[in-house]
Structures are given as structure tokens and as C-alpha cells.
Amino acid sequence: MKSVLIKDLTIGYKQKNNDKVVASQLNATINSGELTCLLGQNGIGKSTLLRTLSAFQPALSGDVLMAMTSSTGKTDAEKQQTVAIASLTDRQLSKMIGVVLTEKPDVRNMTVAELVGLGRSPYTGFWGTLTDDDKQVVGEAIQLVGIKALQDRMVHTLSDGERQKVMIAKALAQQTPVIYLDEPTAFLDFPSKVETLQLLRRLAHEEQKTILLSTHDVELAIQVADSIWLMEPNCLTVGTPRQLADDGTLARFVERPGIVFDRQTMTITVVA
């Protein structure tokens, strides 16, 4: 099992004279087997944090660590090893971290099965030819996400919800222990939003994936997430939805004139 730890992490952009700091001194853990939802207002730095966690851009300071827990084999004791993602090669990272971005894939003349098969690229040779084992992994990923009926469809003919499931299946075919998703429900109708988040929660629990996603769907995140990361100016608050409701964190984030958060039921009401 693998979890992700961030220690004294400062994120932002390196510039010639002064670095642009987006958030600093962040500390948190994404636990294996849990669905963690990242909340925050527009422009607060959620996408920057996800890019830093994915090693798409370097941290300004601090560490992003991958912690792996394994049995010693001799007793019931477990051994934990940590490695900084900054020390990993691109190929090593591609076998550790899968990323699903907000942007819709602009794909033509490719079937669903072929796009999911691209998730095997970290394991294929120069020509990208899939072996029988690779094809089996692709089939299992398609089955897990429940899109077997779509596998021969052309990607450009899919609805937004169907396309998002395909991208999740592609990440599963990559067989990474960690998956990050940037606004995976952004273009979906409400039933599809619910279905997608339920799917991700199930994958985290049943497949023991470490899943972090950013979202603006606060009420859905509260109902589905095992843990919530709430980004506010230079602050990252972490806890279960119940904990963040009880300590007033969610009310502080949600409430505005005409918007009320009920701590007991963890629901949001618009007052006319």
C-alpha cells in the first residue's frame, strides 16, 4: 500500500527575480484506500498543488513523499519506506502516479479500447505494441469502470460522462497506486457527477488506490469523500467531512449572505 505525504511544502512558480508563492508550509497525507477531495475557491492554487504532487512542476521548497508500507514477512509487523518524488525518473513516476486532467481529450479515429490501451505505455516497448497481458489489463480496467459496452465506440462519439469514465479506465490501465484527478466532474450533469464520485470512492476502497481529486462540488464531496483537503489563503485544513463540519471549517468556507451551512446535517441551503 502507498500513501502520499507532503511536508512543509511551498508551491508556486519560479521567476527570474522573485518566486511567485501560491501556498506555503503545507502538511498533509493522502491515505491509501481512501478518496480525498480537494476543495477551495477559484484561483486558490488547487491545480498548482495537483501539478506539484504529480511532479509536473517543481516545488519551491519542502517535500512530496511516497510512503510504501509492506509486511516484513516474518511477523505481523509492517515496514514503511519513503521516497521523494523529485528523485524519481519520468518512467518511474509513470508507474507510480496516474493523472486525469480537466481538459477533454481531442481524439479522432480512436476507439475506447485503444485510448484505454495508451495507459499501458509505461510498460510497452518503443513501438507501443500491447502484449496479451497488456490487453488483459486493459480489459480489466474497462470492466472495473463499467464501460465494456463502449469499448468499440469511437471516442469522439461519447458523451462527457462516458468520456470521463474512459479517462479513468486509462488511468487504471496504467496500474499506478496513486491517481490524481483535476475537476473530473466539471462537464458532467448531476447524475453523472454522483456516479463518477461513487465510482472513484469504490475504486479507492476496493482496489486500495490512493485517490485525490479537486472539485467545486462541495455538497457531493462532503457526502462521498473519506477525507477533505480545504485550501484557503496560505492554509490547508485536513479532516473528515464530519470533523470539518463540527469544528466550523466548512461553515467558514461555504457561508455567505444568503447561503447557510447546517453543521448537523452537513447540507447547504440557499435562503431566498
Side-chain angles (χ1 to χ4, degrees):
M1 296 198 308
K2 290 183 174 64
S3 56
V4 178
L5 291 73
I6 59 174
K7 291 190 174 182
D8 300 325
L9 184 69
T10 297
I11 60 173
Y13 303 89
K14 292 186 179 295
Q15 299 178 338
K16 223 173 193 181
N17 298 321
N18 294 309
D19 292 340
K20 180 184 177 183
V21 175
V22 173
S24 61
Q25 297 298 303
L26 305 179
N27 291 276
T29 300
I30 314 170
N31 292 313
S32 174
E34 291 187 0
L35 175 63
T36 301
C37 288
L38 173 62
L39 303 178
Q41 296 179 352
N42 284 332
I44 199 68
K46 298 189 301 297
S47 293
T48 303
L49 177 56
L50 281 174
R51 285 195 296 271
T52 306
L53 293 175
S54 308
F56 288 173
Q57 72 181 65
L60 295 181
S61 65
D63 294 300
V64 180
L65 304 170
M66 196 81 71
M68 181 171 64
T69 303
S70 60
S71 171
T72 60
K74 296 179 181 178
T75 66
D76 291 334
E78 292 185 334
K79 181 180 180 182
Q80 188 173 77
Q81 296 177 314
T82 59
V83 59
I85 66 166
S87 69
L88 300 175
T89 66
D90 288 345
R91 190 167 183 82
Q92 287 172 324
L93 282 168
S94 69
K95 294 182 179 181
M96 300 282 279
I97 300 171
V99 181
V100 179
L101 300 175
T102 306
E103 293 80 11
K104 300 177 186 179
D106 185 15
V107 175
R108 296 278 171 177
N109 300 318
M110 182 178 285
T111 67
V112 165
E114 288 170 338
L115 180 54
V116 175
L118 293 180
R120 298 302 299 160
S121 58
Y123 309 92
T124 58
F126 177 79
W127 299 108
T129 304
L130 299 185
T131 66
D132 289 342
D133 286 343
D134 290 322
K135 291 176 183 177
Q136 181 177 342
V137 171
V138 169
E140 289 171 353
I142 287 172
Q143 190 74 36
L144 274 173
V145 180
I147 55 172
K148 187 172 176 59
L150 303 177
Q151 62 183 354
D152 296 322
R153 284 266 302 274
M154 304 303 288
V155 174
H156 70 272
T157 68
L158 302 177
S159 69
D160 289 339
E162 290 170 338
R163 192 182 296 111
Q164 193 62 275
K165 287 182 180 179
V166 173
M167 299 310 294
I168 293 170
K170 176 177 173 288
L172 288 175
Q174 198 174 331
Q175 288 189 310
T176 59
V178 178
I179 301 175
Y180 299 136
L181 304 99
D182 190 9
E183 292 287 349
T185 60
F187 304 110
L188 307 184
D189 57 35
F190 185 76
S192 297
K193 288 176 188 283
V194 174
E195 189 178 31
T196 299
L197 290 180
Q198 288 176 328
L199 167 64
L200 292 168
R201 179 183 169 93
R202 176 170 59 82
L203 291 172
H205 290 187
E206 295 179 6
E207 304 300 318
Q208 286 301 296
K209 298 289 186 181
T210 303
I211 300 180
L212 171 71
L213 65 90
S214 65
T215 182
H216 287 295
D217 296 313
V218 179
E219 279 195 290
L220 285 181
I222 291 171
Q223 294 179 66
V224 176
D226 296 296
S227 180
I228 286 178
W229 287 14
L230 177 60
M231 281 192 78
E232 297 176 285
N234 221 28
C235 174
L236 180 64
T237 305
V238 177
T240 66
R242 183 77 265 167
Q243 288 170 335
L244 298 190
D246 289 345
D247 68 12
T249 297
L250 288 174
R252 184 180 69 245
F253 173 62
V254 169
E255 291 190 335
R256 301 288 186 277
I259 304 175
V260 176
F261 179 75
D262 187 311
R263 299 187 186 189
Q264 189 61 40
T265 61
M266 295 195 293
T267 55
I268 299 169
T269 303
V270 177
V271 181

